[in-house]
């Protein structure tokens, strides 16, 4: 395995030793004998935690989606209100323009033919 790598720069290489066990040898043997029982117990606990976290994640996503939908609906409502205000403003401008055109008077010249 180390043939692939350049080892010239290594001065010392050693494995880190395992820390001593905190359990007595009898306790370690007992655990090894009952490993299936312990593993089932912890698998069930892990499954319960996984389901709980999944439910919490689903609830969180649901709240985020509802918040997003509220924001979109508020934006749409505000956008529609702004469009209505813009239309009303343009209607007022058109009415003002019409008024300005109606108020314009023309000077009528007498019928004089100039040849």
């Amino acid at each position: 395995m180390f043939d692939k790598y350049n080892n010239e720069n290594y001065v010392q290489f050693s494995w880190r030793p395992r820390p001593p066990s905190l359990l007595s040898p009898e306790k370690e043997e007992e655990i090894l004998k009952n490993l299936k029982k312990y593993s089932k117990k912890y698998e069930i606990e892990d499954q319960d935690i996984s389901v709980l976290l999944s439910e919490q994640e689903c609830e969180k996503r649901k709240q985020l989606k509802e918040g997003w939908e509220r924001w979109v609906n508020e934006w749409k409502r505000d956008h529609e209100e702004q469009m209505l205000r813009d239309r009303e403003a343009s209607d007022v401008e058109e009415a003002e323009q019409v008024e300005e055109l109606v108020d314009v008077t023309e000077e009528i010249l007498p019928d004089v033919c100039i040849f």
Side-chain angles (χ1 to χ4, degrees), residues 12-56:
Q12 179 182 7
F13 184 82
S14 62
W15 292 100
R16 189 170 119 195
R18 280 186 158 180
S21 176
L22 300 175
L23 301 173
S24 66
E26 295 83 23
K27 188 68 177 174
E28 285 182 13
E29 286 180 31
E30 180 187 335
I31 290 173
L32 285 174
K33 286 180 185 177
N34 298 321
L35 190 59
K36 287 185 182 182
K37 180 178 83 173
Y38 289 125
S39 66
K40 277 187 182 181
K41 174 185 167 187
Y42 292 117
E43 283 177 10
I44 291 171
E45 286 181 15
D46 288 346
Q47 228 174 13
D48 292 343
I49 290 171
S50 176
V51 167
L52 178 66
L53 291 175
S54 177
E55 289 172 355
Q56 289 175 347

